[in-house]
Amino acid sequence: MVTGDNIAELSLKVDQGLNRDTLKDCHTVLSLSKTGFSIMVAGENKSRILLSAQRFWKEEKSESKLIDLFEKTLDQLPVNPDLSASIKCLVNFQKFSLVPEHFYQKGKGQQILSYTAKLQKGDRIYTDHWTHSEALMLHAIPERISEWLSKRFMQAQIQHQATSIENLYQTSKSEDFTGILYVSPSEADFYLAQKGKVQWYNKFQYQTEEDLLYFILYSLEQNRFLPTELHLKVAGLSLKGDKLHSLLERYIGEVKDMSVPSNYQLSPMISEKDLRENINLLGLL
């Protein structure tokens, strides 16, 4: 399993038929965070995956250096995402708050978010509506990053990574007590749902697999959920049989790899493992 070590190279898998001309009918989803960049391109009907790429680095706190990393990574791609028929962008920063729909009042996002996050002057506030769960994800993006996004991808729809995970859950929701753990280098997203609605979400940093196990068990305890009743789906940079799975299986009722939805077709150049590592991006296609 990949942890917090710096990974400088771009991992790129691309269909031979994807080029400047064919991209105009395609749909692109990007993911940006302090620790990395990932991208997925789907064909005209959004069911065939033509490009999957990712690059990770140690956490970068300087916004100017972070933008520089994003730009250099974009320059390495064989196509320009701006030419896509549509483009969506997942942002994955630490300032967020998940609130019940009935609790939110229009224009109060910054005030509500300030209860749980230390906002800086100029932070831009975004609101993602989770219709099926009757909840809202409030999140902030640093001013410089927000301005860069607006100029670099003028038509992009911006949402938080958690919104994509919520969408993935809704495509295969069940009455069971379900968890989704999405693992990236040095950080992970943990999502809990029951009876078709989100119950809890958080994002956290880690150094070892034991850190991940501890946080999951602590989160369940705080929410008064029993680990033995949890059906956990694991995605991202973790595979069945690795150390993390072995640890989780000692305490969690059921642990499975999160499967790629059957309605997606893969280019011969892209494996299911490649797609599974970027499965969070499927939630916005």
Side-chain angles (χ1 to χ4, degrees):
M1 182 175 133
V2 180
T3 56
D5 294 334
N6 193 25
I7 305 171
E9 297 300 320
L10 176 69
S11 173
L12 172 66
K13 301 294 178 64
V14 58
D15 188 272
Q16 294 179 348
L18 183 63
N19 54 49
R20 180 186 178 90
D21 293 328
T22 58
L23 183 65
K24 294 177 181 179
D25 295 322
C26 295
H27 305 273
T28 296
V29 182
L30 301 167
S31 178
L32 308 174
S33 74
K34 292 183 178 180
T35 60
F37 169 101
S38 58
I39 181 173
M40 183 178 291
V41 176
E44 184 176 4
N45 62 5
K46 299 185 179 182
S47 63
R48 185 171 177 82
I49 307 303
L50 303 175
L51 183 149
S52 180
Q54 56 190 340
R55 181 188 178 197
F56 298 107
W57 48 76
K58 291 182 179 179
E59 182 178 1
E60 181 54 70
K61 297 181 179 180
S62 166
E63 293 167 14
S64 59
K65 291 182 180 179
L66 193 58
I67 291 172
D68 186 54
L69 282 167
F70 292 151
E71 287 285 7
K72 288 181 178 179
T73 306
L74 286 164
D75 288 342
Q76 290 183 270
L77 298 175
V79 291
N80 182 354
D82 295 320
L83 301 179
S84 304
S86 73
I87 184 167
K88 297 181 180 180
C89 183
L90 284 175
V91 290
N92 203 5
F93 297 100
Q94 291 286 355
K95 299 177 183 179
F96 62 85
S97 182
L98 183 63
V99 299
E101 187 177 62
H102 67 269
F103 183 76
Y104 177 74
Q105 295 180 3
K106 189 175 181 179
K108 297 291 185 179
Q110 184 169 0
Q111 178 182 341
I112 295 172
L113 189 54
S114 67
Y115 297 148
T116 57
K118 186 177 180 181
L119 299 177
Q120 302 293 326
K121 183 179 179 180
D123 281 350
R124 305 292 172 82
I125 311 300
Y126 293 79
T127 304
D128 300 353
H129 188 194
W130 295 7
T131 304
H132 296 288
S133 289
E134 299 177 349
L136 291 105
M137 168 57 69
L138 307 176
H139 57 103
I141 302 178
E143 183 177 19
R144 291 191 64 182
I145 301 295
S146 179
E147 290 179 348
W148 174 78
L149 278 171
S150 298
K151 294 177 181 178
R152 188 64 172 78
F153 308 108
M154 291 185 290
Q155 304 301 322
Q157 177 184 346
I158 299 173
Q159 293 185 299
H160 194 273
Q161 167 144 302
T163 300
S164 182
I165 295 175
E166 156 76 1
N167 292 345
L168 284 172
Y169 166 74
Q170 292 297 335
T171 62
S172 59
K173 64 183 179 181
S174 68
E175 293 296 303
D176 293 330
F177 176 39
T178 303
I180 297 175
L181 177 67
Y182 185 80
V183 182
S184 302
S186 76
E187 59 184 16
D189 299 81
F190 186 43
Y191 170 101
L192 294 171
Q194 192 170 33
K195 297 181 178 179
K197 294 183 179 181
V198 64
Q199 300 295 312
W200 189 85
Y201 166 81
N202 207 347
K203 179 180 178 64
F204 57 96
Q205 296 181 330
Y206 71 95
Q207 292 184 337
T208 67
E209 289 85 353
E210 286 80 6
D211 294 338
L212 288 168
L213 172 63
Y214 171 79
F215 188 84
I216 290 173
L217 294 178
Y218 177 77
S219 300
L220 293 172
E221 180 182 3
Q222 292 299 303
N223 287 280
R224 299 182 180 180
F225 295 135
L226 294 176
T228 53
E229 296 179 355
L230 178 63
H231 297 260
L232 181 64
K233 299 179 181 180
V234 184
L237 300 180
S238 176
L239 294 173
K240 183 177 181 180
D242 70 7
K243 181 180 178 180
L244 177 59
H245 273 259
S246 298
L247 284 171
L248 293 173
E249 288 169 352
R250 296 179 191 175
Y251 300 91
I252 305 300
E254 180 183 68
V255 181
K256 291 184 177 180
D257 284 338
M258 191 169 189
S259 59
V260 176
S262 58
N263 56 307
Y264 288 104
Q265 300 174 348
L266 305 183
S267 161
M269 303 299 294
I270 302 173
S271 69
E272 185 168 339
K273 176 180 178 295
D274 296 325
L275 190 57
R276 186 180 166 280
E277 290 180 352
N278 279 338
I279 201 170
N280 58 317
L281 300 179
L282 289 179
L284 283 194
L285 276 179

